[in-house]
Amino acid sequence: MRRIALIIMGLVFFAGCIEKGQELPTAETPFYTETSTSTIAQTSPTPENSKISVTFVVEVPEYTPEGDSIYIAGDFNGWNPGDEDYKLKKRADGKWEITLSFQWGRKIEFKFTRGSWETVEKGKNGEEIPNRILVIEKEGTYEFKVYHWRDYVEEAGVGTHTIVGNVITFKMKIPQLDNRERRIWIYLPPDYNQSNRRYPVLYMHDGQNLFDQATSFAGEWQVDETLERLFKEKGFAIIVVGIDNGGDRRIDEYSPWVNSEYGKGGEGDAYVRFIVETLKPYIDSEYRTLPNETGIMGSSLGGLISIYAGFKYPEVFKYVGAMSSAFWFNPEIYEFVKNSTAGPEKIYIDWGTLEGKDPKAYIETNKKLVEILKEKGYREGVNLMVIEEKGATHNEYHWSRRFPNAVLWLFEDP
């Protein structure tokens, strides 16, 4: 009798909710960014093995060029910023929209672009914004607002510039890559203009993200702030040469081999030859360098290309720093390192425990290279430094945190 009474009470509660128009308890609602709103056409509970449709509606800045297209790029399309299958359609009200289908319950990360990472969206003050996040649990329409585009932010000087110290920029052609033009950054130590001293040089990729918040894609490494501090505290001084990435060309230029799944890569060797044959000779002739004390460092694909450069030109790059390296994109790097007859004098490798969609796989692909290095005779604490940072994700914040110890270990005497 007690069980029957409880059932009757439950039915009465259910009926009362319907009569009063109250919502019944549901699963956790999807999270979406503060710049989005949603209009949900709620359906019956969706089974986990089915797909549901979501419509993205985007309001863009008034200054957006009339002939440009709007794209959505995310972890669902390999972060391709100009994927024609993910191009939005313009509506009569000036907004843009696209309807996509996803597996129920999937969490997606994404951003809006005008077809390249050079034209990715920025925040209200021209600042970098984190990836937008949406958990797909309800069909409906989600509205978003783009405040600025990256190329207009940089051109108009919107956002806060954070460069400190003596940082110079200029543009240079890349003859090894069809004369593409690239901005070069040079950080000079605090005592450069007050001495005749010569300095080691560190070449770094993704120059937009090294020194200036206003030009960065997802925050800066604070290379200039770090080196200014290390100079005051320890007298540590090096020259850093940053090379802007090529936007849409970044994957191609930072990957020595073509990844057949993504159809990207294969220009990495030409990019490294640009550094060795064109950029380095210019830097050594124009600045007081120690030509034989040269390093190279980068993160993600920048780590991959740095390891490649170190083993392709060990006589040039004595010191190599590879942070959160995307070795998975070009697994050919393992055999390349194995078969190399010589390598850099010192190698720094690190990763976080929460990198990418599959952190375990990311860790394993980095550990695999570490084991190959040890088989070749590298010894941890002697000429190999390996760091695993608990809880660290794949971004500039964590790379900037690890940069000071990495650069000190690579360039300071043991």
Side-chain angles (χ1 to χ4, degrees):
M1 292 295 292
R2 182 181 180 187
R3 179 178 299 176
I4 295 173
L6 289 173
I7 294 172
I8 293 173
M9 289 174 64
L11 291 172
V12 170
F13 171 77
F14 182 88
C17 287
I18 295 175
E19 181 180 349
K20 296 176 184 179
Q22 296 175 357
E23 287 188 358
L24 293 171
T26 61
E28 184 181 0
T29 55
F31 170 80
Y32 35 90
T33 64
E34 62 180 357
T35 57
S36 67
T37 59
S38 65
T39 305
I40 305 296
Q42 182 61 53
T43 62
S44 58
T46 308
E48 295 187 12
N49 61 350
S50 65
K51 287 190 174 184
I52 59 177
S53 296
V54 175
T55 298
F56 300 78
V57 175
V58 185
E59 178 183 350
V60 301
E62 292 183 0
Y63 62 72
T64 302
E66 186 64 31
D68 283 11
S69 298
I70 308 300
Y71 299 81
I72 184 171
D75 54 7
F76 44 81
N77 73 334
W79 290 101
N80 183 345
D83 192 333
E84 290 298 311
D85 291 334
Y86 291 84
K87 182 166 69 173
L88 283 67
K89 293 182 179 179
K90 193 171 185 179
R91 309 194 317 183
D93 61 1
K95 295 182 180 179
W96 297 72
E97 75 172 36
I98 187 171
T99 299
L100 301 173
S101 295
F102 298 98
Q103 200 74 26
W104 183 91
R106 178 176 176 181
K107 183 179 81 169
I108 62 171
E109 296 190 25
F110 59 97
K111 284 187 176 180
F112 298 104
T113 80
R114 296 195 340 271
S116 73
W117 292 121
E118 294 299 314
T119 58
V120 71
E121 60 177 315
K122 289 267 193 170
K124 289 182 180 180
N125 299 313
E127 77 279 9
E128 179 61 30
I129 61 173
N131 294 339
R132 297 181 184 270
I133 298 174
L134 182 66
V135 178
I136 308 297
E137 291 182 341
K138 297 179 182 178
E139 287 191 342
T141 299
Y142 292 81
E143 296 195 16
F144 302 87
K145 182 173 182 178
V146 172
Y147 289 97
H148 286 292
W149 300 113
R150 179 181 184 184
D151 53 334
Y152 280 83
V153 164
E154 294 184 7
E155 181 178 320
V158 179
T160 302
H161 291 283
T162 57
I163 297 174
V164 300
N166 190 356
V167 178
I168 303 163
T169 63
F170 63 92
K171 292 187 176 181
M172 175 176 276
K173 299 286 187 183
I174 306 179
Q176 294 81 0
L177 289 168
D178 302 321
N179 275 332
R180 296 170 195 167
E181 190 173 72
R182 205 57 47 82
R183 177 174 52 187
I184 308 297
W185 306 67
I186 302 177
Y187 167 85
L188 298 174
D191 65 343
Y192 186 86
N193 293 325
Q194 288 78 45
S195 73
N196 292 319
R197 183 178 175 185
R198 289 186 172 273
Y199 305 86
V201 180
L202 175 63
Y203 290 84
M204 298 185 71
H205 319 291
D206 294 310
Q208 299 98 320
N209 302 335
L210 302 179
F211 306 102
D212 194 357
Q213 182 72 28
T215 64
S216 67
F217 170 66
E220 61 152 315
W221 283 52
Q222 298 185 331
V223 169
D224 44 348
E225 289 90 344
T226 294
L227 293 178
E228 294 285 299
R229 175 175 59 81
L230 292 178
F231 181 83
K232 291 179 181 178
E233 294 176 356
K234 306 170 69 71
F236 178 80
I238 62 171
I239 293 173
V240 173
V241 178
I243 309 157
D244 272 6
N245 67 55
D248 292 346
R249 301 277 193 171
R250 180 181 185 274
I251 296 177
D252 294 326
E253 294 177 1
Y254 289 3
S255 308
W257 300 275
V258 174
N259 180 301
S260 57
E261 179 181 352
Y262 288 89
K264 294 270 191 179
E267 295 183 342
D269 185 74
Y271 169 73
V272 172
R273 284 194 292 107
F274 159 67
I275 300 175
V276 172
E277 300 169 359
T278 304
L279 181 57
K280 186 179 186 301
Y282 173 81
I283 297 297
D284 288 340
S285 66
E286 295 295 320
Y287 298 91
R288 296 196 311 274
T289 69
L290 292 169
N292 295 323
E293 290 291 311
T294 303
I296 190 166
M297 177 184 288
S299 61
S300 194
L301 287 175
L304 165 68
I305 198 63
S306 294
I307 290 291
Y308 176 83
F311 281 90
K312 181 66 181 288
Y313 299 100
E315 73 282 2
V316 175
F317 302 111
K318 291 175 65 174
Y319 314 114
V320 170
M323 294 187 174
S324 304
S325 300
F327 297 131
W328 62 269
F329 193 80
N330 271 175
E332 296 92 339
I333 191 66
Y334 301 127
E335 286 301 314
F336 180 78
V337 172
K338 277 184 184 179
N339 296 329
S340 297
T341 56
E345 290 187 9
K346 297 176 77 173
I347 301 175
Y348 171 95
I349 291 182
D350 71 21
W351 60 82
T353 58
L354 295 178
E355 305 231 19
K357 290 189 294 184
D358 187 351
K360 183 178 178 181
Y362 220 99
I363 293 170
E364 289 175 351
T365 55
N366 274 267
K367 284 186 173 180
K368 182 175 180 178
L369 187 74
V370 170
E371 292 308 309
I372 291 172
L373 293 175
K374 289 180 178 179
E375 291 172 3
K376 293 183 71 68
Y378 284 90
R379 296 166 52 200
E380 279 197 63
V382 178
N383 54 3
L384 174 65
M385 177 67 73
V386 180
I387 299 294
E388 179 177 88
E389 184 178 358
K390 301 294 183 183
T393 53
H394 195 78
N395 56 48
E396 279 74 10
Y397 169 75
H398 288 104
W399 300 327
S400 70
R401 281 167 47 89
R402 301 197 292 264
F403 175 72
N405 288 336
V407 74
L408 284 174
W409 185 79
L410 285 172
F411 283 90
E412 279 196 326
D413 294 332

